[in-house]
Amino acid sequence: PPGNPPVVSVLGKNFNTTKDWFNVPVNVLKATSRQLHLQNDHPVAITRQIIQANFPAPTYQCYNDFHPVVSTQQNFDSLGFPPNHPGRAKSDTYYINGSNLLRTHTSAHQADVFRQNSSDGFLIAADVYRRDAIDRSHYPVFHQMEGARTWDRTVMPGGDVAAAVRLDTEKLGTHDVVVEDPNPPYHPERNPIQEGHTEAEVTAIGQHLKRSLELMVIDIFKRAKMAAAQVDPDFVDEPLRMRWVEAEFPFTSPSWELEVYYEGNWLEVLGCGVVKQDILNNAGASTRVGWAFGIGIERIAMLLFKVTDIRLFWSQDERFLTQFEGVSANLDKLRLFKPFSKYPAARRDVSFWLPSSSSSPSAAGGNTGRSFHENDAMEVVRRVAGDAVEDVSVFDDFTHPKTGRRSIAYRIVYRLHERTLTAEEIKDMHDKVMAALVEDLGVEIR
Ligand code: PHE
């Protein structure tokens, strides 16, 4: 694998790298300077603004420029991730050194904001980084919005948070969308009511949380519908369907996910729950109880603007960027993305034998062995081909019955949004991908 530079600079801050940990490729490092959520009239920024509009000041205070490099303490420990949690693995997370990484979620800032925040709620929008598969809905960098709302027990009449929370829920107003599973039962061991919380409190906080997020999703879909009706007068509007499902996070209990029915599938749009009391206690806010949520901005932006390939958000092509001019200043001017001509895709296959020592994937990824992790192959393709790669999928995976060696075959789809790739460029890129797979992962091309 390519060596590590001794020092990397991220948004004006320098960090020493360590050889055992550093795994951030140049294209990902470069993306840290883009901050799409702050770029005026960019769909990611517009979507952030729409979400923000649903959580107004002064109750909610916005934090949109936290630095992307955080400590393992912030990203994991402060949130109660156990030491062996798979999210910590080098196969899933971009590390600068053993104690600094590119945040994998906006929750990394929860504890800090609970400590410093003086209002009852907050929102945090930021770029987040995850090693992952390559396809039209996954990119190693994306954006999230974190939100939280807490109530101070000591200032409640009679110390009763539940009554005050119920009152605040009434103030949110109602809606008439049928939520198909408004109250899924939650597992008493996976998702217990926390020590020190009463059932009445958790019920009230859960209702405030759900109502707030349902209203936000309804607002988003109302805007999407208006934008669609503008371009297509015959547009028939399918009624919005939502449901709640139980979820599990190390930093909330109980926890839920909100799913929305979209083009035939239930799509997970956000995770949330009652904040673990330890986080508040450790942040000097032990008298407070409340909820938090995290939502992926691109996923919402793809629905809102009808963008079907996540790479487009990173395009600097004027044909993309000029389409949304003026929307940041007036969110009611939201327009759907008008696709520009699609250039042809080129499919190329590569199959290889894994080095015999690494045929079984290690349980937690780990940072010691040389075992093969699919994300490692994805990363190699991404590093060589950059945004010219649209999709990578496994089409064959078998282990030789006699030798025990494992062979994997990938199909790579190359395509640019801006122009047609020449046959030479494709061949050159694919040759380089194969060479890099051999070089970095020690595989043997078949
Ligand atoms: N951080 C979680 C994720 O990235 C989302 C989340 C945020 C869940 C806050 C609960 C509370 O998946």
Side-chain angles (χ1 to χ4, degrees):
N4 60 308
V7 178
V8 289
S9 170
V10 180
L11 284 180
K13 271 197 188 178
N14 289 340
F15 299 89
N16 293 323
T17 70
T18 52
K19 193 161 137 279
D20 287 351
W21 286 92
F22 183 78
N23 65 349
V24 193
V26 175
N27 55 319
V28 171
L29 214 47
K30 277 201 186 128
T32 56
S33 64
R34 295 288 297 278
Q35 305 193 89
L36 303 181
H37 62 296
L38 300 178
Q39 187 180 322
N40 204 42
D41 293 337
H42 190 284
V44 170
I46 295 166
T47 306
R48 171 196 44 91
Q49 291 177 278
I50 291 173
I51 299 170
Q52 262 174 223
N54 282 276
F55 296 95
T59 306
Y60 295 90
Q61 214 169 305
C62 293
Y63 299 83
N64 292 340
D65 48 19
F66 285 130
H67 197 278
V69 177
V70 300
S71 62
T72 47
Q73 160 70 23
Q74 289 171 298
N75 201 82
F76 299 121
D77 304 327
S78 75
L79 294 160
F81 278 70
N84 61 349
H85 192 282
R88 294 183 187 251
K90 267 178 71 181
S91 56
D92 289 36
T93 296
Y94 293 111
Y95 283 91
I96 308 279
N97 53 50
S99 44
N100 292 105
L101 51 92
L102 294 174
R103 73 185 145 227
T104 64
H105 55 174
T106 42
S107 303
H109 302 290
Q110 260 194 32
D112 297 336
V113 179
F114 279 133
R115 193 171 294 111
Q116 73 181 77
N117 186 59
S118 51
S119 66
D120 290 331
F122 62 76
L123 294 173
I124 304 165
D127 37 331
V128 300
Y129 298 79
R130 290 186 198 174
R131 299 184 87 206
D132 211 332
I134 301 179
D135 60 38
R136 279 144 55 97
S137 58
H138 288 89
Y139 199 82
V141 193
F142 60 102
H143 297 75
Q144 279 188 332
M145 182 91 124
E146 191 90 358
R149 171 81 160 96
T150 60
W151 289 264
D152 189 342
R153 283 178 163 149
T154 57
V155 304
M156 296 304 166
D160 189 348
V161 190
V165 177
R166 280 196 297 270
L167 212 66
D168 281 333
T169 306
E170 270 172 44
K171 285 189 212 150
L172 290 173
T174 52
H175 62 75
D176 53 12
V177 176
V178 192
V179 180
E180 299 188 17
D181 201 348
N183 247 324
Y186 42 89
H187 194 277
E189 271 146 49
R190 284 194 304 260
N191 264 316
I193 289 184
Q194 298 173 55
E195 213 185 298
H197 291 180
T198 68
E199 201 174 324
E201 270 176 331
V202 172
T203 303
I205 292 171
Q207 274 165 355
H208 188 276
L209 166 63
K210 287 173 180 167
R211 180 79 59 79
S212 303
L213 295 170
E214 287 163 9
L215 287 167
M216 172 190 75
V217 168
I218 290 166
D219 177 58
I220 291 169
F221 276 81
K222 194 186 74 202
R223 292 170 190 273
K225 190 176 94 183
M226 272 162 35
Q230 258 175 42
V231 287
D232 178 7
D234 299 329
F235 172 76
V236 265
D237 160 36
E238 290 222 14
L240 174 60
R241 295 172 66 190
M242 295 188 272
R243 71 178 184 196
W244 288 98
V245 297
E246 188 190 358
E248 235 186 307
F249 302 103
F251 36 96
T252 50
S253 190
S255 312
W256 300 277
E257 269 162 10
L258 179 58
E259 296 185 340
V260 167
Y261 196 75
Y262 187 74
E263 294 182 346
N265 301 301
W266 284 102
L267 199 65
E268 171 205 326
V269 296
L270 60 86
C272 61
V274 176
V275 179
K276 283 266 179 92
Q277 203 57 41
D278 270 353
I279 301 173
L280 289 160
N281 295 352
N282 295 337
S286 58
T287 61
R288 292 185 164 268
V289 286
W291 55 250
F293 75 86
I295 186 168
I297 297 182
E298 275 82 348
R299 179 165 281 189
I300 298 295
M302 289 173 85
L303 306 176
L304 255 178
F305 294 90
K306 294 213 192 298
V307 165
T308 54
D309 185 339
I310 198 164
R311 284 177 306 162
L312 265 171
F313 295 127
W314 297 89
S315 170
Q316 317 251 31
D317 193 316
E318 289 298 300
R319 285 172 301 169
F320 180 69
L321 294 172
T322 54
Q323 292 195 24
F324 314 103
E325 275 172 2
V327 183
S328 272
N330 182 357
L331 297 176
D332 292 334
K333 280 201 190 155
L334 187 85
R335 291 184 289 272
L336 296 190
F337 165 60
K338 237 201 265 131
F340 36 90
S341 67
K342 230 176 167 196
Y343 296 96
R347 292 172 183 80
R348 295 289 182 279
D349 297 343
V350 53
S351 49
F352 48 78
W353 293 107
L354 295 186
S356 28
S357 61
S358 67
S359 284
S360 55
S362 85
N367 65 326
T368 45
R370 288 253 297 133
S371 9
F372 175 80
H373 191 292
E374 195 157 284
N375 283 348
D376 295 336
M378 295 291 171
E379 192 80 354
V380 170
V381 180
R382 197 75 94 179
R383 184 167 52 74
V384 175
D387 284 357
V389 53
E390 176 175 289
D391 191 274
V392 180
S393 53
V394 176
F395 70 89
D396 193 36
D397 184 342
F398 84 98
T399 303
H400 193 282
K402 287 220 181 81
T403 64
R405 280 187 91 186
R406 183 168 161 216
S407 157
I408 304 186
Y410 285 103
R411 169 150 303 161
I412 305 176
V413 180
Y414 298 98
R415 189 207 311 261
L416 280 178
H417 280 289
E418 290 80 9
R419 60 181 178 80
T420 302
L421 285 159
T422 66
E424 241 164 277
E425 284 175 315
I426 294 160
K427 177 174 188 311
D428 187 49
M429 207 149 41
H430 195 60
D431 287 347
K432 283 193 178 128
V433 164
M434 289 192 287
L437 286 167
V438 171
E439 173 81 17
D440 288 16
L441 306 179
V443 306
E444 190 187 310
I445 304 290
R446 299 184 54 191

